């Protein structure tokens, strides 16, 4: 294993450990010593990669942002209909929020009051939803008279709510709950010819995009204790 | 002013001050001395009313729960259609979340991870939405084939999302955003005869219920510094 690969693995392990510590203790009370020991490295190794806690927080958000971008890009390339890509991407996001502490922490750092409110990830997700609805409108598959602004806001607010409510009851972050949301909303969003072609529970593209992302992260040894 | 009235005012001032301190510092880092000084009283006066921080937190949740119950009851008594009562209550809730620190803190204490996840207020809101949809179904104003479980989940998740996203951008917690949500959803929820009778932006019942609640709280001197 080259020095560069070891360093990349340590950096990923620190990001993952930071996400878990932020989740357990809150960003304000998260201690750097706990983050480094969670990654199986010394605080010196942490400081080799990150200047301070803010830099660690930014790296968590950047990593979660990268994962969302990869997943949404992969789904878009594999899906013909923009509305199905929207449904699939939301399922992939909810799956990530349920399983991946880095995605969860990335979103929470964006809207937790004590972090000063950086809109990063929710705004990225809003942009993604808005683009897919624009594509659906351009392709003629969006129902007539639907406000894309309202549909974007409803989708982003509902997925955000599922994450927040899922903290005390995991059912909120389930495929079943999100499928119910699309069963309700899709008949308003899709034109009548497109609607029967859409799967509100998501297609294989969603699960495969998430699995591919996980494989990529694991190739860096994320979550394993890797000394620098 | 009798001793009882003074004590009630002090208790209300402490609850309000606690809500503000929880919001600014997070529950975990909130100090009792800051809560009492925010209410203009000594920490001794705080301990006369509350045993510890957990008791203050419970009082904040109970007060927010009371406000939601009062507002939803008042709207239900004044509104013929269950679906309009649902729209109006959601507008009243979003108004409370925007203006009232006690309501905001009450919800946040329920879903912030570091509090161990007490589902109190979101579950109360879910119960309220579910009951109104049941009433609409019984009254024949709910559209056929709509899952009340899905509609309840979508409504509770969206309003939760509006609150969380509203922390970095107040537009999320605006009447306009919530009206857009109902413009999108009501055609799925209401039977075709009822739909034209509904106002997605809320009726006067919503604003009047919130104003009445505020007047009631102000009669206790909430927010004024009242020594015990």
């Amino acid at each position: 294993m080259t020095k560069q690969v070891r360093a990349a693995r340590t950096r990923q392990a620190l990001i993952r450990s930071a996400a878990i510590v932020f989740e357990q203790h809150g960003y304000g009370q998260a201690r750097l010593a706990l983050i480094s020991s969670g990654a199986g490295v010394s605080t010196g190794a942490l400081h080799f990669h990150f200047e301070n806690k803010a830099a660690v927080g930014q790296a968590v958000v950047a990593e979660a942002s990268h994962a969302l971008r990869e997943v949404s890009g992969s789904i878009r390339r594999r899906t013909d209909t923009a509305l199905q890509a929207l449904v699939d991407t939301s399922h992939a996001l909810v799956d990530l929020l349920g399983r991946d502490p880095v995605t969860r922490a990335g979103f929470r750092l964006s809207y937790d009051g004590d972090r000063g409110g950086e809109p990063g990830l929710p705004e990225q997700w809003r942009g993604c939803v808005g683009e897919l609805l624009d594509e659906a409108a351009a392709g003629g598959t969006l129902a007539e008279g639907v406000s894309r602004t309202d549909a974007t806001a409803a989708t982003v607010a509902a997925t955000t709510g599922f994450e927040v409510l899922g903290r005390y009851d995991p059912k909120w972050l389930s495929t079943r709950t999100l499928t119910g949301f699309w069963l309700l909303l899709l008949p308003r969003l899709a034109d009548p010819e497109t609607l029967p072609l859409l799967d509100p529970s998501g297609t294989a593209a969603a699960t495969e995009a998430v699995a591919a992302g996980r494989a990529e992260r694991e190739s860096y040894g994320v979550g394993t204790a890797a000394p620098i």
Side-chain angles (χ1 to χ4, degrees), chain A:
Chain A
M1 192 157 62
T2 68
K3 210 168 166 180
Q4 286 87 341
V5 171
R6 273 208 307 277
R9 287 195 176 184
T10 301
R11 192 173 185 281
Q12 290 291 323
L14 283 164
I15 289 172
R16 190 181 160 88
S17 170
I20 293 167
V21 172
F22 291 162
E23 192 162 13
Q24 286 174 339
H25 301 271
Y27 175 84
Q29 286 177 298
R31 286 168 46 236
L32 290 180
L34 214 55
I35 294 172
S36 55
S37 72
V41 301
S42 65
T43 49
L46 185 148
H47 283 294
F48 175 82
H49 288 279
F50 302 107
E51 201 185 333
N52 50 30
K53 189 158 75 174
V56 184
Q58 280 157 14
V60 168
V61 172
E63 183 67 24
S65 166
H66 172 75
L68 176 59
R69 206 162 36 241
E70 287 292 303
V71 154
S72 63
S74 148
I75 288 171
R76 190 67 200 98
R77 285 189 296 277
R78 298 187 40 179
T79 315
D80 285 341
T81 329
L83 286 177
Q84 187 65 58
L86 172 59
V87 171
D88 285 4
T89 310
S90 73
H91 276 284
L93 174 59
V94 160
D95 192 28
L96 281 172
L97 287 168
R99 291 168 192 253
D100 177 30
V102 176
T103 300
R104 268 199 306 273
F107 270 84
R108 290 183 192 178
L109 286 173
S110 301
Y111 45 61
D112 275 2
D114 61 345
R115 286 276 296 122
E118 291 162 22
L121 269 167
E123 282 306 312
Q124 181 184 339
W125 173 223
R126 179 154 86 155
C128 176
V129 175
E131 274 175 33
L132 289 168
L133 289 172
D134 287 347
E135 278 187 49
T141 56
L142 196 73
E144 273 182 45
V146 165
S147 155
R148 278 171 261 168
T149 307
D150 294 345
T152 303
T155 305
V156 174
T159 44
T160 303
F162 292 145
E163 188 276 308
V164 171
L165 296 162
R167 295 181 197 178
Y168 72 79
D169 183 353
K171 261 189 293 200
W172 283 103
L173 261 188
S174 67
T175 304
R176 173 66 200 86
T177 303
L178 184 60
T179 302
F181 175 75
W182 288 119
L183 279 168
L184 195 68
L185 209 62
L186 280 179
R188 281 288 285 147
L189 295 187
D191 88 313
E193 279 178 34
T194 307
L195 183 61
L197 310 173
L198 300 176
D199 182 352
S201 64
T203 71
T207 37
E208 284 165 23
V210 175
R214 197 176 307 130
E216 187 209 10
R217 279 194 300 281
E218 275 162 14
S219 74
Y220 283 110
V222 175
T224 63
I228 186 173

